[in-house]
Amino acid sequence: MNVAVVDRQNLPALLASGKIAAQADEDYQINQKTVVAYDYQMDLLLGKYRTIIYDADAGWVLLKKKTCRRLVHELRKKEPAHELTIKKQLCRQIGMSDQYVQSFGSHAYFSFFIMRHKPLDLVGLHQMKLFECLDNHGLFLTLDRQYCFSLEMPRQSGRGQQILQDCITHNAAFLHLASARAASWGCQLKPVSRKSLLNDPAYIRESRLAEIKAMDPRQILEEAEDNYLNYCSEEFLKEFRAWNWGKQDMRQLINYCNKSFNEIK
């Protein structure tokens, strides 16, 4: 990659020298224009910033209070609970942890380490054109070829590459499931025309994706729903200290609530 590499080590010098300009924005939230986020909570950037972000529209953004982990939590809070359950179900089908990637089909946010890791650096895979390994670092070239961002990878040989492929496969599986669900409603998802790592066949584990595509989408959705109902049952027990409702009890309760809601409408 014939582009200057940006990483967490040289960012402080680039900021201090004025080679890159950044603005503070405590209200910043991860969005589709988020390209990369570096977490400095263990050693504050310029002595006061926990996170620095490069946004395709806003440029470089500095955050004093928010860590990357908090930004991801804010992102996940916007999702319906059943969507998160479906994504966890897909992780089980692929055989991976759900804490490396936030998949949305058309876009995804990725880390080489799980959410509990400090620091937690992120890249928007939909904003990246190429990926290369250099020692124990992953190099991501942006779509506009303006930047090459370096992120530390796990030291186990080949582990980082495997995690990246699993996560891109997970996003492809979620996009397939979303497309199948839309088709059942008589709709069609708009295809993503921009080429990025997310739709590069070289990074998709075709055998695992084929296994998921061979399954009835309703089976995956029903299994995810069962897991969600089990979770609801456990939370219901904790909250009200009542008897432990089973899935069938929760289904009846949800059906009753839906019926009542429709009657009110």
Side-chain angles (χ1 to χ4, degrees), residues 145-198:
R145 297 179 178 270
Q146 183 178 355
Y147 288 105
C148 178
F149 293 107
S150 173
L151 271 70
E152 184 179 353
M153 296 194 302
R155 294 187 179 276
Q156 305 97 307
S157 177
R159 177 61 177 155
Q161 181 89 6
Q162 177 192 340
I163 294 171
L164 177 62
Q165 289 180 328
D166 284 345
C167 290
I168 292 177
T169 303
H170 180 271
N171 186 79
F174 180 73
L175 180 59
H176 162 72
L177 194 61
S179 299
R181 184 168 53 179
S184 69
W185 296 338
C187 304
Q188 185 176 358
L189 295 184
K190 184 178 180 181
V192 178
S193 58
R194 187 171 57 176
K195 297 297 182 182
S196 70
L197 289 182
L198 277 188

Side-chain angles (χ1 to χ4, degrees), residues 198-209:
L198 277 188
N199 48 30
D200 188 338
Y203 295 96
I204 297 176
R205 296 188 182 278
E206 290 294 346
S207 58
R208 291 186 176 179
L209 183 59

Side-chain angles (χ1 to χ4, degrees), residues 32 34-36 100-103 106-112 122-131 140-143 151 163-169 171 194-200 203:
Q32 290 193 41
T34 302
V35 179
V36 69
Y100 291 101
V101 67
Q102 313 303 316
S103 298
S106 62
H107 55 290
Y109 309 98
F110 167 78
S111 171
F112 282 114
L122 299 168
V123 293
L125 293 176
H126 55 290
Q127 295 284 356
M128 302 302 172
K129 185 176 184 65
L130 295 173
F131 169 79
F140 294 88
L141 179 67
T142 57
L143 291 175
L151 271 70
I163 294 171
L164 177 62
Q165 289 180 328
D166 284 345
C167 290
I168 292 177
T169 303
N171 186 79
R194 187 171 57 176
K195 297 297 182 182
S196 70
L197 289 182
L198 277 188
N199 48 30
D200 188 338
Y203 295 96

Side-chain angles (χ1 to χ4, degrees), residues 23-196:
Q23 59 182 347
D25 182 2
E26 290 301 317
D27 296 325
Y28 186 88
Q29 295 184 337
I30 292 178
N31 61 84
Q32 290 193 41
K33 295 296 183 178
T34 302
V35 179
V36 69
Y38 286 103
D39 192 323
Y40 285 86
Q41 61 175 305
M42 305 299 291
D43 184 15
L44 298 184
L45 179 62
L46 302 183
K48 57 182 177 180
Y49 297 108
R50 283 184 166 84
T51 307
I52 183 169
I53 294 166
Y54 181 68
D55 184 287
D57 284 348
W60 292 95
V61 179
L62 294 164
L63 303 176
K64 282 186 177 181
K65 297 180 180 179
K66 293 182 181 179
T67 62
C68 286
R69 184 177 179 180
R70 181 176 170 185
L71 288 169
V72 172
H73 278 306
E74 290 178 351
L75 180 69
R76 290 168 67 98
K77 283 173 64 176
K78 297 177 184 178
E79 289 190 84
H82 67 277
E83 290 284 349
L84 292 172
T85 309
I86 290 170
K87 291 175 183 179
K88 287 186 177 182
Q89 181 64 25
L90 287 175
C91 284
R92 282 188 282 269
Q93 298 292 143
I94 296 173
M96 57 174 283
S97 169
D98 67 321
Q99 296 195 38
Y100 291 101
V101 67
Q102 313 303 316
S103 298
F104 295 91
S106 62
H107 55 290
Y109 309 98
F110 167 78
S111 171
F112 282 114
F113 299 93
I114 62 174
M115 288 275 291
R116 293 190 298 273
H117 188 266
K118 296 179 182 180
L120 181 72
D121 298 333
L122 299 168
V123 293
L125 293 176
H126 55 290
Q127 295 284 356
M128 302 302 172
K129 185 176 184 65
L130 295 173
F131 169 79
E132 289 183 6
C133 295
L134 180 63
D135 298 328
N136 65 321
H137 284 78
L139 304 180
F140 294 88
L141 179 67
T142 57
L143 291 175
D144 60 8
R145 297 179 178 270
Q146 183 178 355
Y147 288 105
C148 178
F149 293 107
S150 173
L151 271 70
E152 184 179 353
M153 296 194 302
R155 294 187 179 276
Q156 305 97 307
S157 177
R159 177 61 177 155
Q161 181 89 6
Q162 177 192 340
I163 294 171
L164 177 62
Q165 289 180 328
D166 284 345
C167 290
I168 292 177
T169 303
H170 180 271
N171 186 79
F174 180 73
L175 180 59
H176 162 72
L177 194 61
S179 299
R181 184 168 53 179
S184 69
W185 296 338
C187 304
Q188 185 176 358
L189 295 184
K190 184 178 180 181
V192 178
S193 58
R194 187 171 57 176
K195 297 297 182 182
S196 70

